[in-house]
Every structure is written in structure tokens, then in C-alpha cells.
Coordinates of all heavy atoms in Angstrom, one line a residue:
M169 N -234.6 102.4 -157.3 CA -233.8 101.6 -158.1 C -234.7 101.3 -159.5 O -234.1 101.2 -160.5 CB -233.6 100.1 -157.6 CG -232.6 100.3 -156.5 SD -232.0 98.5 -156.2 CE -231.2 98.9 -154.6
T170 N -236.0 101.5 -159.4 CA -236.8 101.2 -160.7 C -237.0 102.7 -161.3 O -237.6 103.5 -160.8 CB -238.0 100.6 -160.5 OG1 -238.8 101.3 -159.6 CG2 -237.9 99.2 -159.9
D171 N -236.4 102.8 -162.5 CA -236.8 104.0 -163.3 C -237.3 103.6 -164.8 O -237.3 104.5 -165.5 CB -235.6 104.9 -163.3 CG -234.3 104.1 -163.8 OD1 -234.3 103.0 -164.1 OD2 -233.2 104.7 -164.0
N172 N -237.8 102.4 -164.8 CA -238.3 102.0 -166.2 C -237.5 102.2 -167.3 O -238.0 102.5 -168.4 CB -239.8 102.7 -166.2 CG -240.7 102.2 -165.2 OD1 -240.6 101.0 -164.7 ND2 -241.6 102.8 -164.8
K173 N -236.1 102.2 -167.1 CA -235.3 102.3 -168.1 C -235.0 100.9 -168.8 O -234.8 100.0 -168.1 CB -233.8 102.8 -167.6 CG -232.9 103.4 -168.6 CD -231.8 104.0 -167.8 CE -230.8 104.6 -168.9 NZ -229.6 105.0 -168.0
P174 N -235.1 100.9 -170.1 CA -234.8 99.7 -170.8 C -233.4 99.0 -170.7 O -232.5 99.8 -170.7 CB -235.0 99.9 -172.3 CG -234.8 101.3 -172.5 CD -235.1 102.0 -171.2
V175 N -233.3 97.7 -170.4 CA -232.1 97.0 -170.0 C -231.7 96.0 -170.9 O -232.7 95.1 -171.2 CB -232.1 96.6 -168.5 CG1 -230.8 95.8 -168.2 CG2 -232.4 97.7 -167.4
R176 N -230.6 95.9 -171.5 CA -230.3 94.8 -172.4 C -229.9 93.6 -171.7 O -229.6 93.7 -170.6 CB -229.0 95.3 -173.2 CG -229.1 96.4 -174.2 CD -227.9 96.9 -174.7 NE -226.9 96.0 -175.1 CZ -226.6 95.8 -176.4 NH1 -226.9 96.7 -177.3 NH2 -225.7 94.8 -176.6
I177 N -230.1 92.5 -172.3 CA -230.0 91.3 -171.6 C -228.5 90.9 -171.3 O -228.2 90.6 -170.2 CB -230.5 90.0 -172.5 CG1 -230.3 88.6 -171.7 CG2 -229.8 89.9 -173.8 CD1 -231.1 88.5 -170.4
D178 N -227.6 91.4 -172.1 CA -226.2 91.3 -171.9 C -225.7 92.0 -170.7 O -225.0 91.6 -169.7 CB -225.1 91.5 -173.1 CG -225.3 92.9 -173.6 OD1 -226.3 93.6 -173.3 OD2 -224.4 93.3 -174.2
K179 N -226.2 93.3 -170.5 CA -225.9 94.1 -169.4 C -226.5 93.5 -168.1 O -225.9 93.6 -167.0 CB -226.4 95.5 -169.7 CG -225.7 96.5 -168.9 CD -225.9 97.9 -169.4 CE -224.9 98.9 -168.7 NZ -225.1 100.2 -169.3
F180 N -227.7 93.0 -168.1 CA -228.5 92.4 -167.1 C -227.8 91.4 -166.5 O -227.5 91.1 -165.3 CB -229.9 92.1 -167.5 CG -230.7 91.4 -166.3 CD1 -230.9 92.3 -165.2 CD2 -230.8 90.1 -166.3 CE1 -231.9 91.7 -164.2 CE2 -231.5 89.6 -165.2 CZ -232.0 90.4 -164.2
L181 N -227.3 90.3 -167.4 CA -226.6 89.0 -167.1 C -225.3 89.5 -166.3 O -224.9 88.8 -165.3 CB -226.3 88.2 -168.2 CG -227.4 87.6 -168.9 CD1 -227.1 86.9 -170.1 CD2 -228.2 86.6 -167.9
W182 N -224.5 90.5 -166.8 CA -223.4 91.0 -166.1 C -223.7 91.7 -164.8 O -223.0 91.4 -163.8 CB -222.6 92.0 -167.0 CG -221.5 92.7 -166.3 CD1 -220.3 92.4 -166.1 CD2 -221.7 94.1 -165.9 NE1 -219.6 93.4 -165.4 CE2 -220.5 94.4 -165.4 CE3 -222.6 95.0 -166.0 CZ2 -220.1 95.6 -164.7 CZ3 -222.4 96.3 -165.5 CH2 -221.3 96.6 -164.8
S183 N -224.8 92.4 -164.7 CA -225.1 93.2 -163.5 C -225.5 92.2 -162.4 O -225.2 92.6 -161.2 CB -226.1 94.3 -163.8 OG -227.3 93.6 -164.1
V184 N -226.2 91.1 -162.7 CA -226.6 90.3 -161.6 C -225.5 89.1 -161.4 O -225.8 88.1 -160.8 CB -228.0 89.6 -161.9 CG1 -229.1 90.7 -161.8 CG2 -228.0 88.9 -163.1
R185 N -224.4 89.2 -161.9 CA -223.1 88.4 -161.6 C -223.3 87.0 -162.2 O -222.6 86.1 -161.7 CB -222.9 88.4 -160.2 CG -222.4 89.9 -159.8 CD -222.1 89.9 -158.3 NE -221.8 91.3 -157.9 CZ -220.5 91.5 -157.8 NH1 -219.4 90.7 -158.2 NH2 -220.1 92.7 -157.5
L186 N -224.0 86.9 -163.3 CA -224.1 85.5 -163.9 C -222.8 85.3 -164.8 O -222.3 84.1 -165.0 CB -225.3 85.3 -164.8 CG -226.6 85.2 -164.0 CD1 -227.8 85.0 -165.0 CD2 -226.6 84.0 -163.1
Y187 N -222.3 86.4 -165.3 CA -221.0 86.4 -166.0 C -220.1 87.4 -165.6 O -220.5 88.4 -165.2 CB -221.4 86.6 -167.5 CG -222.1 85.5 -168.1 CD1 -223.3 85.5 -168.3 CD2 -221.5 84.3 -168.5 CE1 -224.3 84.4 -168.9 CE2 -222.1 83.2 -168.9 CZ -223.6 83.4 -169.3 OH -224.3 82.3 -169.6
K188 N -218.8 87.0 -165.7 CA -217.7 88.0 -165.1 C -217.6 89.4 -165.8 O -217.3 90.3 -165.3 CB -216.3 87.3 -165.1 CG -215.3 87.9 -164.3 CD -214.2 87.0 -164.2 CE -213.0 87.5 -163.3 NZ -211.9 86.7 -163.2
T189 N -217.8 89.3 -167.2 CA -217.8 90.6 -167.9 C -219.0 90.6 -168.8 O -219.6 89.6 -169.1 CB -216.5 90.6 -168.9 OG1 -216.6 89.5 -169.8 CG2 -215.3 90.4 -168.0
R190 N -219.2 91.9 -169.2 CA -220.3 92.1 -170.2 C -220.0 91.5 -171.6 O -220.9 90.9 -172.2 CB -220.7 93.5 -170.3 CG -221.9 93.7 -171.2 CD -222.2 95.2 -171.1 NE -223.1 95.6 -172.1 CZ -223.4 96.8 -172.5 NH1 -222.9 97.8 -171.8 NH2 -224.4 97.1 -173.4
S191 N -218.7 91.4 -172.0 CA -218.3 90.9 -173.4 C -218.7 89.3 -173.3 O -219.1 88.8 -174.4 CB -217.0 91.2 -173.7 OG -216.1 90.7 -172.8
I192 N -218.3 88.7 -172.2 CA -218.6 87.2 -172.1 C -220.2 87.0 -172.2 O -220.6 86.1 -172.9 CB -218.1 86.7 -170.8 CG1 -216.5 86.8 -170.7 CG2 -218.6 85.3 -170.6 CD1 -215.9 86.3 -169.5
A193 N -220.9 87.8 -171.5 CA -222.4 87.6 -171.6 C -222.9 87.9 -172.9 O -223.7 87.1 -173.5 CB -223.0 88.7 -170.7
S194 N -222.2 88.9 -173.7 CA -222.6 89.0 -175.2 C -222.3 87.8 -176.0 O -223.1 87.5 -176.9 CB -222.0 90.5 -175.7 OG -222.5 91.6 -175.0
D195 N -221.1 87.3 -175.8 CA -220.8 86.2 -176.5 C -221.6 85.0 -176.4 O -222.0 84.3 -177.2 CB -219.2 85.7 -176.1 CG -218.3 86.9 -176.7 OD1 -218.6 87.6 -177.6 OD2 -217.1 86.8 -176.2
E196 N -222.0 84.9 -175.1 CA -222.9 83.7 -174.8 C -224.3 83.8 -175.5 O -224.8 82.8 -176.1 CB -223.2 83.5 -173.3 CG -221.9 83.1 -172.5 CD -221.4 81.8 -173.0 OE1 -222.0 80.8 -172.7 OE2 -220.2 81.7 -173.4
C197 N -224.8 85.1 -175.5 CA -226.0 85.3 -176.3 C -225.8 85.0 -177.8 O -226.6 84.4 -178.4 CB -226.4 86.8 -176.2 SG -227.0 87.2 -174.6
R198 N -224.7 85.4 -178.4 CA -224.4 85.2 -179.9 C -224.3 83.7 -180.0 O -224.6 83.2 -181.2 CB -223.2 85.9 -180.2 CG -223.5 87.4 -180.4 CD -222.2 88.0 -181.1 NE -222.1 89.4 -180.6 CZ -221.4 89.8 -179.7 NH1 -220.5 89.1 -179.0 NH2 -221.4 91.2 -179.3
K199 N -223.8 82.9 -179.1 CA -223.6 81.6 -179.3 C -224.9 80.7 -179.0 O -224.8 79.6 -179.3 CB -222.6 81.0 -178.4 CG -221.1 81.4 -178.7 CD -220.1 80.9 -177.6 CE -218.8 81.6 -177.7 NZ -217.9 81.1 -176.7
G200 N -226.0 81.5 -178.7 CA -227.2 80.8 -178.6 C -227.4 80.1 -177.2 O -228.2 79.2 -177.0
R201 N -226.6 80.3 -176.2 CA -226.7 79.8 -174.9 C -227.5 80.5 -174.0 O -227.7 80.0 -172.9 CB -225.2 79.6 -174.3 CG -224.4 78.7 -175.0 CD -223.0 78.5 -174.4 NE -222.2 77.7 -175.3 CZ -220.8 77.7 -175.3 NH1 -220.3 78.7 -174.4 NH2 -220.2 77.0 -176.1
I202 N -228.1 81.7 -174.4 CA -229.1 82.3 -173.6 C -230.6 82.4 -174.1 O -230.6 82.6 -175.4 CB -228.6 83.9 -173.3 CG1 -227.1 84.0 -172.8 CG2 -229.7 84.5 -172.5 CD1 -227.0 83.3 -171.5
L203 N -231.4 82.0 -173.4 CA -232.8 81.8 -173.9 C -233.8 82.6 -173.0 O -233.5 82.6 -171.8 CB -233.3 80.3 -174.0 CG -232.5 79.3 -174.6 CD1 -232.6 78.0 -174.3 CD2 -232.7 79.4 -176.2
I204 N -234.6 83.3 -173.6 CA -235.7 84.1 -172.8 C -237.1 83.4 -173.3 O -237.3 83.5 -174.5 CB -235.6 85.5 -173.0 CG1 -234.3 86.0 -172.6 CG2 -236.8 86.1 -172.4 CD1 -234.1 87.5 -172.7
N205 N -237.8 82.9 -172.4 CA -239.1 82.2 -172.8 C -238.8 81.2 -173.9 O -239.6 81.2 -175.0 CB -240.1 83.3 -173.1 CG -240.4 84.2 -171.9 OD1 -240.3 83.7 -170.9 ND2 -240.7 85.4 -172.3
E206 N -237.8 80.4 -173.8 CA -237.5 79.3 -174.7 C -237.1 79.9 -176.1 O -237.0 79.0 -177.0 CB -238.6 78.4 -174.8 CG -239.2 77.8 -173.6 CD -238.6 76.5 -173.0 OE1 -238.0 75.8 -173.9 OE2 -238.5 76.4 -171.8
I207 N -236.7 81.1 -176.3 CA -236.2 81.6 -177.6 C -234.8 82.1 -177.4 O -234.5 82.9 -176.5 CB -237.1 82.7 -178.1 CG1 -238.6 82.2 -178.2 CG2 -236.8 83.4 -179.4 CD1 -239.7 83.2 -178.5
Q208 N -233.9 81.7 -178.3 CA -232.5 82.3 -178.4 C -232.6 83.9 -178.6 O -233.5 84.3 -179.5 CB -231.6 81.7 -179.4 CG -231.4 80.2 -179.2 CD -230.5 79.6 -180.2 OE1 -230.2 80.2 -181.3 NE2 -230.0 78.4 -180.1
V209 N -231.7 84.5 -177.9 CA -231.9 85.9 -178.0 C -230.5 86.7 -178.4 O -229.4 86.0 -178.1 CB -232.2 86.7 -176.7 CG1 -233.8 86.3 -176.4 CG2 -231.3 86.3 -175.5
K210 N -230.6 87.8 -179.0 CA -229.4 88.6 -179.3 C -229.0 89.4 -178.0 O -229.8 89.6 -177.2 CB -229.6 89.5 -180.4 CG -229.9 88.8 -181.6 CD -230.1 89.8 -182.9 CE -230.4 89.1 -184.2 NZ -230.6 89.9 -185.2
P211 N -227.7 89.8 -177.9 CA -227.3 90.6 -176.7 C -228.1 92.0 -176.5 O -228.2 92.5 -175.5 CB -225.7 91.0 -177.1 CG -225.4 90.0 -178.1 CD -226.6 89.5 -178.8
S212 N -228.7 92.4 -177.7 CA -229.4 93.7 -177.5 C -230.8 93.6 -177.1 O -231.5 94.6 -177.0 CB -229.3 94.5 -178.9 OG -230.0 93.6 -179.9
R213 N -231.2 92.4 -176.9 CA -232.8 92.1 -176.4 C -233.0 92.9 -175.0 O -232.2 92.7 -174.2 CB -232.9 90.6 -176.3 CG -234.2 90.1 -175.8 CD -235.4 90.3 -176.4 NE -236.5 89.4 -176.1 CZ -237.1 89.4 -175.0 NH1 -236.9 90.1 -174.0 NH2 -238.2 88.5 -174.9
I214 N -234.1 93.5 -175.1 CA -234.6 94.2 -173.9 C -235.3 93.2 -173.0 O -236.2 92.5 -173.4 CB -235.4 95.4 -174.3 CG1 -234.7 96.4 -175.2 CG2 -235.9 96.1 -172.9 CD1 -233.4 97.0 -174.5
I215 N -235.0 93.2 -171.8 CA -235.7 92.3 -170.7 C -236.8 93.1 -170.0 O -236.7 94.4 -169.9 CB -234.8 91.7 -169.8 CG1 -234.1 92.6 -169.0 CG2 -233.8 90.8 -170.6 CD1 -233.4 92.1 -167.8
I216 N -237.8 92.4 -169.5 CA -238.8 93.0 -168.6 C -239.0 92.1 -167.5 O -238.5 91.0 -167.3 CB -240.1 93.2 -169.6 CG1 -240.7 91.7 -170.1 CG2 -240.0 94.3 -170.5 CD1 -242.0 91.9 -170.8
R217 N -239.7 92.6 -166.6 CA -240.0 91.7 -165.4 C -240.8 90.4 -165.6 O -241.4 90.4 -166.6 CB -241.0 92.5 -164.4 CG -240.3 93.6 -163.7 CD -241.3 94.1 -162.5 NE -240.7 95.3 -162.0 CZ -241.4 96.4 -161.9 NH1 -242.7 96.5 -162.4 NH2 -240.8 97.4 -161.5
N218 N -240.5 89.5 -164.9 CA -241.1 88.0 -164.9 C -240.8 87.2 -166.1 O -241.4 86.2 -166.3 CB -242.6 88.3 -164.8 CG -243.0 88.7 -163.3 OD1 -242.3 88.3 -162.3 ND2 -243.9 89.6 -163.4
E219 N -239.7 87.7 -166.8 CA -239.3 86.8 -167.9 C -238.5 85.7 -167.4 O -237.7 85.8 -166.4 CB -238.6 87.7 -169.1 CG -239.5 88.4 -169.8 CD -238.7 89.0 -171.0 OE1 -237.6 89.7 -170.9 OE2 -239.2 88.9 -172.1
I220 N -238.5 84.6 -168.0 CA -237.6 83.4 -167.7 C -236.4 83.3 -168.4 O -236.5 83.3 -169.8 CB -238.5 82.1 -167.8 CG1 -239.8 82.2 -166.9 CG2 -237.7 80.8 -167.4 CD1 -239.6 82.3 -165.4
I221 N -235.3 83.4 -167.8 CA -234.0 83.3 -168.6 C -233.4 82.0 -168.3 O -233.3 81.5 -167.2 CB -233.0 84.4 -168.0 CG1 -233.6 85.8 -168.4 CG2 -231.7 84.2 -168.7 CD1 -232.8 87.0 -167.7
I222 N -232.9 81.3 -169.5 CA -232.3 80.1 -169.4 C -230.9 80.4 -169.7 O -230.6 80.7 -170.9 CB -232.9 78.9 -170.1 CG1 -234.3 78.7 -169.6 CG2 -232.0 77.7 -170.1 CD1 -235.0 77.7 -170.5
A223 N -229.7 80.0 -168.9 CA -228.4 80.3 -169.2 C -227.8 78.9 -169.3 O -227.7 78.1 -168.3 CB -227.7 81.0 -168.2
K224 N -227.3 78.5 -170.5 CA -226.7 77.2 -170.7 C -225.3 77.2 -170.4 O -224.5 77.9 -171.2 CB -227.0 76.6 -172.1 CG -228.5 76.4 -172.5 CD -228.5 75.9 -173.9 CE -230.1 75.7 -174.1 NZ -230.2 75.3 -175.6
K225 N -224.8 76.7 -169.3 CA -223.5 76.6 -168.8 C -223.2 75.2 -168.7 O -223.3 74.6 -167.6 CB -223.2 77.4 -167.5 CG -223.3 78.9 -167.7 CD -222.9 79.5 -166.3 CE -223.0 81.0 -166.4 NZ -222.5 81.5 -165.1
P226 N -222.8 74.4 -169.9 CA -222.7 72.9 -169.8 C -221.8 72.6 -168.6 O -220.8 73.2 -168.3 CB -221.9 72.6 -171.1 CG -222.3 73.8 -172.0 CD -222.3 74.9 -171.1
P227 N -222.2 71.6 -167.9 CA -223.3 70.6 -168.1 C -224.6 71.0 -167.5 O -225.6 70.3 -167.4 CB -222.8 69.3 -167.4 CG -222.0 69.9 -166.2 CD -221.3 71.2 -166.7
V228 N -224.7 72.2 -166.9 CA -225.9 72.7 -166.3 C -226.7 73.7 -167.1 O -226.0 74.6 -167.6 CB -225.6 73.3 -164.8 CG1 -226.9 73.6 -164.0 CG2 -224.9 72.1 -164.0
N229 N -228.0 73.7 -167.1 CA -228.9 74.7 -167.7 C -229.5 75.4 -166.5 O -230.4 74.9 -165.8 CB -229.9 74.1 -168.5 CG -229.3 73.6 -169.8 OD1 -228.2 73.9 -170.2 ND2 -229.9 72.6 -170.4
Y230 N -229.0 76.7 -166.3 CA -229.6 77.5 -165.1 C -230.8 78.3 -165.7 O -230.9 78.7 -166.6 CB -228.5 78.5 -164.6 CG -227.3 77.8 -164.1 CD1 -226.2 77.6 -164.8 CD2 -227.3 77.4 -162.8 CE1 -225.0 77.0 -164.3 CE2 -226.2 76.7 -162.1 CZ -225.1 76.7 -162.9 OH -223.9 76.1 -162.5
T231 N -231.8 78.3 -164.7 CA -233.2 78.9 -165.0 C -233.4 80.0 -164.0 O -233.2 79.8 -162.8 CB -234.3 77.9 -165.0 OG1 -234.0 76.9 -165.9 CG2 -235.5 78.6 -165.5
F232 N -233.6 81.2 -164.3 CA -233.9 82.4 -163.6 C -235.1 83.2 -164.1 O -235.5 83.2 -165.2 CB -232.6 83.3 -163.7 CG -231.3 82.7 -163.2 CD1 -230.6 82.3 -164.3 CD2 -231.0 82.6 -161.9 CE1 -229.3 81.7 -163.9 CE2 -229.8 82.1 -161.6 CZ -228.9 81.7 -162.5
R233 N -235.8 83.8 -163.0 CA -236.8 84.7 -163.3 C -236.4 86.0 -163.0 O -235.9 86.3 -161.9 CB -238.2 84.3 -162.5 CG -239.2 85.1 -162.8 CD -240.5 84.6 -162.0 NE -240.4 84.8 -160.6 CZ -240.7 86.0 -160.0 NH1 -240.9 87.0 -160.7 NH2 -240.5 86.1 -158.8
V234 N -236.7 87.0 -163.8 CA -236.3 88.5 -163.8 C -237.3 89.0 -162.6 O -238.5 89.1 -162.9 CB -236.3 89.2 -164.9 CG1 -236.0 90.7 -164.7 CG2 -235.4 88.7 -165.9
I235 N -236.9 89.4 -161.5 CA -237.7 90.3 -160.5 C -237.7 91.6 -160.9 O -238.8 92.1 -160.9 CB -237.3 90.0 -159.1 CG1 -237.3 88.5 -158.7 CG2 -238.0 90.7 -158.1 CD1 -236.6 88.1 -157.4
E236 N -236.6 92.2 -161.0 CA -236.5 93.7 -161.4 C -235.2 93.8 -162.3 O -234.2 93.5 -162.0 CB -236.3 94.5 -160.2 CG -236.2 95.9 -160.4 CD -237.7 96.4 -160.8 OE1 -238.7 96.0 -160.3 OE2 -237.6 97.3 -161.6
P237 N -235.4 94.4 -163.5 CA -234.3 94.6 -164.4 C -233.4 95.6 -163.8 O -233.8 96.7 -163.2 CB -234.9 95.2 -165.8 CG -236.4 94.9 -165.6 CD -236.7 94.7 -164.3
V238 N -232.0 95.4 -163.8 CA -231.2 96.4 -163.2 C -229.9 96.5 -164.3 O -229.5 95.6 -164.9 CB -230.6 95.8 -161.9 CG1 -230.0 94.5 -162.0 CG2 -229.7 96.7 -161.3
E239 N -229.5 97.8 -164.3 CA -228.6 98.2 -165.5 C -227.1 98.1 -164.9 O -226.2 97.8 -165.5 CB -228.8 99.5 -165.9 CG -227.9 99.9 -167.1 CD -228.5 101.1 -167.8 OE1 -228.9 102.1 -167.1 OE2 -228.4 101.1 -169.0
N240 N -227.0 98.6 -163.5 CA -225.6 98.6 -163.0 C -225.3 97.3 -162.2 O -226.1 96.7 -161.5 CB -225.4 99.9 -162.0 CG -225.7 101.1 -162.8 OD1 -225.2 101.3 -164.0 ND2 -226.5 102.0 -162.4
R241 N -224.1 97.0 -162.0 CA -223.6 95.8 -161.5 C -224.0 95.9 -159.8 O -223.8 97.1 -159.3 CB -222.1 95.6 -161.6 CG -221.6 94.2 -161.1 CD -220.5 93.9 -162.0 NE -219.8 92.6 -161.5 CZ -219.8 91.5 -162.0 NH1 -220.5 91.3 -163.0 NH2 -219.2 90.5 -161.5
V242 N -224.5 94.9 -159.3 CA -224.9 94.9 -158.0 C -224.1 94.1 -157.1 O -223.4 93.2 -157.5 CB -226.4 94.5 -157.7 CG1 -227.3 95.6 -158.4 CG2 -226.8 93.2 -158.3
S243 N -224.1 94.4 -155.8 CA -223.3 93.4 -154.9 C -224.0 92.0 -154.8 O -225.1 91.8 -155.0 CB -223.4 94.1 -153.4 OG -223.1 93.1 -152.4
A244 N -223.1 91.0 -154.5 CA -223.4 89.7 -154.5 C -224.5 89.4 -153.4 O -225.3 88.6 -153.6 CB -222.2 88.8 -154.4
K245 N -224.5 90.3 -152.5 CA -225.4 90.1 -151.3 C -226.9 90.4 -151.7 O -227.8 89.9 -151.2 CB -225.0 90.8 -150.1 CG -223.7 90.6 -149.5 CD -223.4 91.5 -148.4 CE -222.1 91.0 -147.7 NZ -221.7 91.9 -146.6
I246 N -227.0 91.1 -152.7 CA -228.5 91.8 -153.0 C -228.8 91.2 -154.4 O -229.9 91.6 -155.0 CB -228.5 93.3 -152.8 CG1 -227.6 94.0 -153.8 CG2 -228.3 93.7 -151.6 CD1 -227.9 95.4 -154.0
V247 N -228.1 90.4 -155.0 CA -228.6 89.8 -156.4 C -229.8 89.2 -156.3 O -230.7 89.4 -157.3 CB -227.4 88.8 -156.9 CG1 -228.1 88.0 -158.0 CG2 -226.2 89.5 -157.2
N248 N -230.3 88.6 -155.2 CA -231.5 87.8 -155.1 C -232.8 88.9 -155.0 O -233.8 88.4 -155.2 CB -231.7 86.9 -154.0 CG -231.3 87.6 -152.7 OD1 -231.0 88.7 -152.6 ND2 -231.3 86.7 -151.7
Q249 N -232.5 90.1 -154.9 CA -233.6 91.1 -155.1 C -233.9 91.5 -156.6 O -235.0 91.9 -156.8 CB -233.1 92.5 -154.5 CG -232.9 92.4 -152.9 CD -232.4 93.7 -152.4 OE1 -232.5 94.7 -153.1 NE2 -232.1 93.7 -151.1
F250 N -233.2 91.0 -157.4 CA -233.2 91.2 -158.8 C -233.6 90.1 -159.7 O -234.1 90.1 -160.8 CB -232.1 92.0 -159.5 CG -231.8 93.2 -158.7 CD1 -230.9 93.4 -157.6 CD2 -232.6 94.4 -158.9 CE1 -230.6 94.6 -157.1 CE2 -232.4 95.6 -158.3 CZ -231.4 95.6 -157.4
I251 N -233.1 88.9 -159.2 CA -233.2 87.6 -160.0 C -233.6 86.5 -159.1 O -233.1 86.4 -157.9 CB -232.0 87.5 -160.8 CG1 -232.2 86.3 -162.0 CG2 -230.8 87.2 -160.0 CD1 -231.1 86.4 -162.9
E252 N -234.4 85.5 -159.5 CA -234.8 84.4 -158.7 C -234.4 83.0 -159.4 O -234.7 82.9 -160.6 CB -236.5 84.2 -158.5 CG -236.8 83.1 -157.8 CD -238.3 83.0 -157.7 OE1 -239.1 83.9 -158.3 OE2 -238.9 81.9 -157.3
D253 N -233.5 82.3 -158.7 CA -233.0 81.1 -159.2 C -234.1 80.0 -159.1 O -234.7 79.6 -158.1 CB -231.7 80.7 -158.3 CG -231.1 79.5 -158.9 OD1 -231.4 79.0 -159.9 OD2 -230.2 79.1 -158.4
M254 N -234.4 79.5 -160.3 CA -235.4 78.6 -160.5 C -234.9 77.2 -161.0 O -235.6 76.3 -161.5 CB -236.6 79.0 -161.5 CG -237.4 80.2 -160.9 SD -238.4 80.9 -162.1 CE -239.6 79.6 -162.5
T255 N -233.6 77.1 -160.9 CA -233.0 75.9 -161.5 C -233.4 74.7 -160.6 O -233.5 74.6 -159.5 CB -231.4 76.1 -161.3 OG1 -231.0 77.3 -162.0 CG2 -230.7 75.0 -162.0
S256 N -233.8 73.6 -161.5 CA -234.2 72.4 -160.7 C -233.0 71.7 -160.0 O -231.9 71.9 -160.3 CB -234.9 71.4 -161.7 OG -233.8 70.9 -162.6
E257 N -233.4 70.9 -159.0 CA -232.4 70.2 -158.3 C -231.7 69.2 -159.0 O -230.5 68.8 -158.8 CB -233.0 69.6 -157.0 CG -233.6 70.5 -155.9 CD -232.4 71.3 -155.2 OE1 -231.4 70.6 -155.0 OE2 -232.7 72.4 -155.0
A258 N -232.4 68.7 -160.1 CA -231.8 67.5 -161.0 C -230.7 68.1 -161.8 O -229.7 67.4 -162.1 CB -232.9 67.1 -161.8
E259 N -230.6 69.4 -162.0 CA -229.5 70.0 -162.7 C -228.4 70.2 -161.9 O -227.2 70.1 -162.2 CB -230.0 71.6 -163.3 CG -231.0 71.5 -164.3 CD -230.6 71.0 -165.6 OE1 -229.3 70.9 -165.9 OE2 -231.3 70.7 -166.5

């Protein structure tokens, strides 16, 4: 699965099923609702392992850690192999 290919944040968010379509993921990046390491990012931003992604979906701010960048959409059963949910219980 790992071929060290650069993966865009919008494609990654779609592939790990945080958003239904890639265009919605791109729009969320443009609106400033996606943060990597506390910095707003553009849809073309390349992600790497262990980066912290914050997805603002009001009223909740979801926090995830990238375990392995993936380019193609994966099954809901194996999403946790690529992303770790770090969202606090208070959210």
C-alpha cells in the first residue's frame, strides 16, 4: 500500500471517508475548515505521516493523526489503518 506517492489533502480526506466527495473536501479546505498542525491549508497541500488534521464540522472539531497517506478510497472497515481519531470526548 505504501509507494511513497505524494497525496493531496483533499484526496486523502475523501479516501478515508471524512467527506462524501472529493469536491466537498476541496471546498472545506478553501473555506478554511481544514487545518494541518494548526495552519489552514489549500486542497493541493501534500500530507505526510504523523501530521495532525483538524476538520471543523460545526459544532464539532474532529482531530485525526495520519498513520499512512492513502490515495484511493478505502473500505470503511479498514479506515483506522490509515487515520487515528484523536477527537476529545468533550467535543
Side-chain angles (χ1 to χ4, degrees):
M169 288 195 195
T170 56
D171 51 2
N172 296 328
K173 197 172 178 185
V175 180
R176 293 168 50 119
I177 184 66
D178 61 339
K179 200 165 195 178
F180 179 76
L181 294 173
W182 166 77
S183 67
V184 294
R185 299 178 173 269
L186 292 182
Y187 293 99
K188 194 171 185 175
T189 66
R190 185 172 168 192
S191 62
I192 293 172
S194 294
D195 290 342
E196 294 298 298
C197 290
R198 284 189 211 97
K199 291 176 184 175
R201 293 184 183 156
I202 304 299
L203 304 159
I204 294 180
N205 300 329
E206 308 274 332
I207 300 170
Q208 291 181 355
V209 295
K210 294 181 179 179
S212 60
R213 165 74 154 67
I214 302 299
I215 60 163
I216 57 174
R217 281 190 194 130
N218 295 321
E219 285 189 310
I220 303 298
I221 299 172
I222 298 173
K224 296 180 181 178
K225 293 183 177 183
V228 180
N229 292 337
Y230 296 96
T231 306
F232 301 97
R233 184 177 64 84
V234 178
I235 296 172
E236 185 68 41
V238 62
E239 189 172 37
N240 298 323
R241 194 153 169 105
V242 295
S243 167
K245 293 179 182 177
I246 63 169
V247 164
N248 55 1
Q249 294 177 11
F250 301 100
I251 197 166
E252 177 187 353
D253 188 358
M254 299 172 53
T255 307
S256 67
E257 292 294 323
E259 290 287 341

